Amino acid sequence: MSSVDWRRLDISFGEHRVSVPCCEIVGDDDGPRAFISGGMHGNEINGIVAARRLLDQFSDPAFCSALKGRVTIIPVLNPSGFQHMQRRCLRTIGT
């Protein structure tokens, strides 16, 4: 049976620390791997919406059972930029 696993990736750079939600969907059989991300630029939300819609698809057991391989999804790569609706991350805002 395929599995959906949510976890948080803790990232540090200098004195700044962020925790980024990450979802990994593993199919029943081996196969290709895919990485999907959104929100690299915090003020560009289209990728975030697309990643969330794809995650919604994986809540359907029939959709999930057809998966072969592994999909890793990080909906928001730049949470501080998204929170402030800024293109850059917190460390570079104002520079």
Side-chain angles (χ1 to χ4, degrees):
M1 176 170 201
S2 57
S3 66
V4 178
D5 178 36
W6 276 97
R7 63 182 178 276
R8 299 195 75 77
L9 301 176
D10 295 319
I11 303 166
S12 298
F13 51 100
E15 71 272 3
H16 301 286
R17 289 176 176 65
V18 294
S19 184
V20 179
C22 174
C23 183
E24 186 166 59
I25 303 100
V26 180
D28 293 337
D29 297 316
D30 288 338
R33 294 180 180 205
F35 174 72
I36 297 161
S37 65
M40 178 177 283
H41 299 130
N43 63 344
E44 297 174 355
I45 62 169
N46 293 340
I48 297 168
V49 172
R52 292 298 312 174
R53 286 185 180 169
L54 182 58
L55 284 167
D56 289 344
Q57 292 292 314
F58 282 110
S59 66
D60 177 358
F63 186 86
C64 223
S65 67
L67 177 68
K68 293 184 190 314
R70 180 181 305 245
V71 179
T72 302
I73 302 173
I74 300 178
V76 182
L77 279 174
N78 178 3
S80 62
F82 177 65
Q83 181 180 5
H84 294 95
M85 291 309 294
Q86 298 287 325
R87 184 174 181 84
R88 300 177 181 175
C89 68
L90 179 66
R91 184 178 177 143
T92 59
I93 291 175
T95 60

